Amino acid sequence: MVQPLVDSTTPEPAASAGQPLLEFDQVGLEYPFEGSMRQIIQSVDLSIQPGEFVSFVGPSGCGKTSILRMVSGLNPAPIGEVRCRGQRISKPLKNVGIAFQNPVMLPWRNTLSNVMLPLEIVSPYKQEMHRKKAEFVHMAQDLLSTVRLQDFQKQYPWQLSGGMRQRASLCRALIHQPEILLLDEPFGALDAFTREEMWVMLQALWMRVKCVGILITHDLREAVFLSDKVYVMSSRPSTIIYETRIDLPRPRTLEMELSDEFNHYFSTIRRHIQH
Amino acid sequence: MEKFLKSKSAGFILPFIATIALFVLWELIVILFKIPPFNLPAPSDIFQAMINFAPQLTVNAFRTLWTTMLGFVLAVGVGVILGFLIGYSKVAYLTLYPLLVAFNTIPKAAIVPLLAIWFGANAIPATLTAFLLAFFPIAVNVALGLDTVEPEMKDVLRSLGASQLETFQKVGWPHSLPYIFASLKIAASFAFIGTVISESVASNAGLGYLIVQATSSFDIPLAFAALLILALMGTLLYVFFVFVEKKVIYWAR
C-alpha cells in the first residue's frame, strides 16, 4: 500500500507501482428528461491508488454525488465501468465506509454503540463480536478519542451537537477498517470554524486507517487541505476538466492554509470552476 | 396554576374531576327534568345496578376482556408480519396493499353474521372481529415506520452489506416502534369495538351480549353499567400502553 503518511505522495512510478485500487473507464451518466436523454456525466477516466485521498469539486448539479454512488455500488455506473481491483462494480461494495452531510445516527443507541454498528454487520467482525467485544469497544473508544469524543460515549445522539454527530459518524464509517472512505459533503452543514476543526480530525482519522478517501465538496479550501489530488468537474454535461496533485506535507495544519503554496493551489483550482 | 399544569399529577387529577363533574351534572339533569330511568338512568341508578348485578357484570366483563385480548394479540402478530412484508417487499406492497385497503373498508358488523354461521354463537366470532378491526392500523404503521428510515441510514447499511433481516433487526424494527405504539393504542380500542359488535350480534356471553339482553328487557341502568365498564377497560388498556411506551422507547421524544 502506498503510504500517504510521509511528505510527498508522489511515488513517481505511481502508474507502474501497482494496481490502482479504483479505475474509472469512460464513465457516463444520462437521465431521461422531457422525452430525451440528458447527459449528466461524460467520459470520466481516472484511477485512484491505494491510500490516496482525492476530492471532486465542481458546480452544483454536475453529478459529483453520482460519482460517489457509482464507487459505492449503490448506483453502479450505467455507462462505462468503475472497477475496484479490476472487478467491475455492479452491486454495493462491502469494504467501504460512508458519511453524508446528514450524520444519521440511531437515536436508540448511545455514541459508542452507534460507532460500533458496522462491527455487528461486517464479516469477520460480526462473527467475533462476542469473543472480542472488549477489543472492539477499545477500537471504538480509540477512534472516538481521536475526534475528542471520549467523554461522550454514553451520550445519545440528541445530546450531541451537529459537529459531534458528524465526528461520530466519521468514526462509524471507519471502524471496520474499510478500504475506501466515501464522504459526501460531510461538513456542508457546519459553521466555518467547526468545519476547519473537522478537517484536522478527519485527516488524523484517515492517517490512522490509511484507506482511499474520496471527498465530494464545494469547499475548495477543504479539498486542498485534505487531498492528495483534486479533480475539478465542469458543469453539465460534466467531465474532469482539471486535476492537480496537492504536494503539501502531512499532517497538514490549519496554519498551512495561510501559506502561499496553499493559496496558489486554491486560486488555480478556483480559476477552473465554471458557473 | 401553571406549576400545577406542568406537574405529573395534573394528568390524573383533571380528568378525574371532569368525570365527577360530568356525573353530577348528569344526575342533576335527570332529577330536574324528571327523566325516567328507562330513558336515561341517573349515575346513582347505574352504580346501584353495578352493585346488584356485580356477578353477571364480572363474568361478562372477563369474557369480553379475554376475547378482546386474544384478538388483539393475533392482530399484533399478523399486523407486524404484514407490515414487514409491505414495508420491505415491493411485490407484497403492490399486491397486498390494495387488497388490505379494500378489506378494511368492509364494515365489520356485516361480517359477524357470517362468522356466526361458520363458528357458532360463541367466543370465536368475537375474537375474530376484534382481530379484523385491529390488525390494519398495526400493519400500516409498521410499514410506515420501515418506510420512514432516513435514506442515508439505508445507504449506510447497504454499503455495509447488511441483509434484509439485519436491516430490520438493527434499524427497521426499533425505528418502527414509535409508530407501532401509536397504532397499538388505536388498535386496542378497535379490538374492544370489534368484540362488542360481535357479541351484540351473535354471542352467548360478553358485555355486548349483556347490553342487548338488558335493553330488550328495558333494564337500561344495567346496560349503562356495562357501557361504563367497557369504557373503563378501554381506558386502562390505553394507559397501560402509554406506560409501556415510555419504558420501551425512552429515546423517542
Side-chain angles (χ1 to χ4, degrees):
Chain A
M1 214 187 253
V2 178
Q3 288 288 332
L5 296 171
V6 268
D7 202 315
S8 160
T9 41
T10 6
E12 302 99 275
S16 61
Q19 271 231 336
L21 186 73
L22 288 166
E23 293 164 285
F24 284 65
D25 187 357
Q26 290 296 308
V27 170
L29 176 69
E30 340 176 285
Y31 238 70
F33 183 75
E34 287 179 355
S36 65
M37 292 306 271
R38 176 180 276 192
Q39 288 273 331
I40 310 286
I41 299 174
Q42 237 174 12
S43 52
V44 168
D45 270 304
L46 55 94
S47 59
I48 300 169
Q49 300 297 323
E52 205 174 14
F53 197 113
V54 305
S55 293
F56 288 87
V57 297
S60 74
C62 72
K64 301 186 292 274
T65 296
S66 304
I67 295 271
L68 209 77
R69 297 186 72 84
M70 289 174 188
V71 175
S72 66
L74 291 168
N75 297 93
I79 303 167
E81 314 194 319
V82 182
R83 289 187 291 265
C84 177
R85 295 188 191 291
Q87 291 282 311
R88 178 163 196 262
I89 298 171
S90 56
K91 57 179 200 312
L93 292 175
K94 293 186 178 180
N95 51 350
V96 299
I98 300 191
F100 301 93
Q101 178 171 340
N102 175 11
V104 282
M105 290 173 79
L106 301 174
W108 52 89
R109 286 173 173 239
N110 63 27
T111 309
L112 183 69
S113 157
N114 259 294
V115 170
M116 290 177 69
L117 175 73
L119 301 181
E120 297 168 25
I121 294 169
V122 177
S123 299
Y125 303 102
K126 107 174 145 179
Q127 288 81 3
E128 300 167 342
M129 197 63 199
H130 288 291
R131 216 152 31 85
K132 296 193 178 171
K133 182 84 190 259
E135 187 186 320
F136 290 170
V137 169
H138 193 74
M139 274 162 61
Q141 286 170 334
D142 232 27
L143 286 176
L144 283 171
S145 56
T146 309
V147 296
R148 298 209 302 270
L149 280 179
Q150 64 275 24
D151 298 331
F152 293 88
Q153 295 172 30
K154 296 276 175 265
Q155 256 71 8
Y156 284 86
W158 76 81
Q159 296 166 310
L160 304 179
S161 71
M164 286 169 158
R165 279 205 287 274
Q166 191 54 273
R167 283 184 258 162
S169 99
L170 288 176
C171 292
R172 181 183 62 200
L174 287 168
I175 189 153
H176 55 294
Q177 309 272 328
E179 280 183 292
I180 306 167
L181 172 64
L182 302 173
L183 302 162
D184 191 354
E185 294 186 19
F187 311 135
L190 304 176
D191 64 84
F193 298 117
T194 314
R195 202 181 301 170
E196 296 192 336
E197 232 175 276
M198 300 288 288
W199 299 347
V200 178
M201 289 190 206
L202 171 58
Q203 174 178 250
L205 278 175
W206 170 75
M207 285 173 72
R208 294 185 56 169
V209 181
K210 302 185 195 80
C211 58
V212 160
I214 302 179
L215 171 72
I216 302 296
T217 182
H218 42 227
D219 182 339
L220 303 185
R221 296 192 165 271
E222 181 172 298
V224 173
F225 185 94
L226 287 165
S227 312
D228 298 316
K229 209 163 186 187
V230 177
Y231 292 97
V232 178
M233 294 177 79
S234 62
S235 51
R236 266 196 318 257
S238 60
T239 187
I240 307 291
I241 44 168
Y242 178 70
E243 56 176 271
T244 181
R245 186 160 280 286
I246 311 290
D247 281 321
L248 295 170
R250 287 194 193 267
R252 296 173 187 164
T253 60
L254 289 175
E255 287 80 64
M256 280 187 202
E257 246 196 292
L258 306 171
S259 71
D260 292 342
E261 217 181 343
F262 190 100
N263 282 298
H264 175 70
Y265 283 124
F266 170 78
S267 46
T268 318
I269 293 169
R270 181 67 190 83
R271 268 196 288 281
H272 284 89
I273 302 264
Q274 316 158 341
H275 285 286
Chain B
M1 185 64 195
E2 232 164 88
K3 218 173 180 184
F4 169 70
L5 286 179
K6 274 183 193 154
S7 71
K8 254 187 175 173
S9 48
F12 296 102
I13 294 170
L14 289 179
F16 190 70
I17 293 173
T19 313
I20 305 260
L22 180 72
F23 281 152
V24 170
L25 189 71
W26 183 348
E27 187 85 39
L28 286 175
I29 289 172
V30 170
I31 295 169
L32 270 173
F33 297 96
K34 298 190 174 58
I35 302 171
F38 57 83
N39 275 351
L40 181 68
S44 54
D45 293 331
I46 297 170
F47 291 126
Q48 190 58 50
M50 268 190 193
I51 296 163
N52 293 347
F53 295 96
Q56 288 99 314
L57 281 167
T58 316
V59 169
N60 287 298
F62 267 110
R63 166 68 171 264
T64 299
L65 186 64
W66 77 254
T67 44
T68 303
M69 292 320 293
L70 190 61
F72 180 71
V73 169
L74 277 175
V76 173
V78 173
V80 168
I81 293 169
L82 273 177
F84 174 72
L85 287 176
I86 297 170
Y88 272 153
S89 152
K90 189 84 186 160
V91 180
Y93 174 77
L94 290 174
T95 35
L96 287 179
Y97 196 64
L99 291 182
L100 281 176
V101 172
F103 180 77
N104 192 49
T105 49
I106 298 174
K108 301 302 171 295
I111 304 180
V112 178
L114 287 175
L115 294 175
I117 290 173
W118 294 334
F119 302 105
N122 49 43
I124 299 175
T127 308
L128 287 178
T129 318
F131 158 74
L132 290 175
L133 243 78
F135 84 93
F136 187 74
I138 300 175
V140 170
N141 275 277
V142 172
L144 184 69
L146 294 177
D147 197 49
T148 48
V149 171
E150 295 95 336
E152 287 97 338
M153 198 66 225
K154 287 182 189 166
D155 283 347
V156 166
L157 284 159
R158 275 182 71 202
S159 68
L160 291 171
S163 67
Q164 197 83 296
L165 196 68
E166 278 172 327
T167 309
F168 179 68
Q169 188 196 346
K170 304 279 181 205
V171 179
W173 172 250
H175 183 88
S176 304
L177 279 177
Y179 296 85
I180 291 175
F181 271 102
S183 74
L184 287 186
K185 287 181 276 182
I186 304 168
S189 8
F190 276 21
F192 267 113
I193 294 170
T195 308
V196 174
I197 289 174
S198 179
E199 282 170 352
S200 55
V201 175
S203 186
N204 53 1
L207 288 175
Y209 174 78
L210 187 68
I211 291 169
V212 172
Q213 294 295 309
T215 43
S216 61
S217 59
F218 291 100
D219 193 348
I220 311 300
L222 176 59
F224 267 92
L227 279 178
L228 224 56
I229 292 172
L230 268 177
L232 193 68
M233 289 199 299
T235 312
L236 284 179
L237 198 61
Y238 185 93
V239 171
F240 170 75
F241 279 124
V242 172
F243 175 77
V244 176
E245 182 180 27
K246 280 202 179 128
K247 292 280 158 209
V248 176
I249 47 171
Y250 55 91
W251 46 267
R253 293 138 306 126

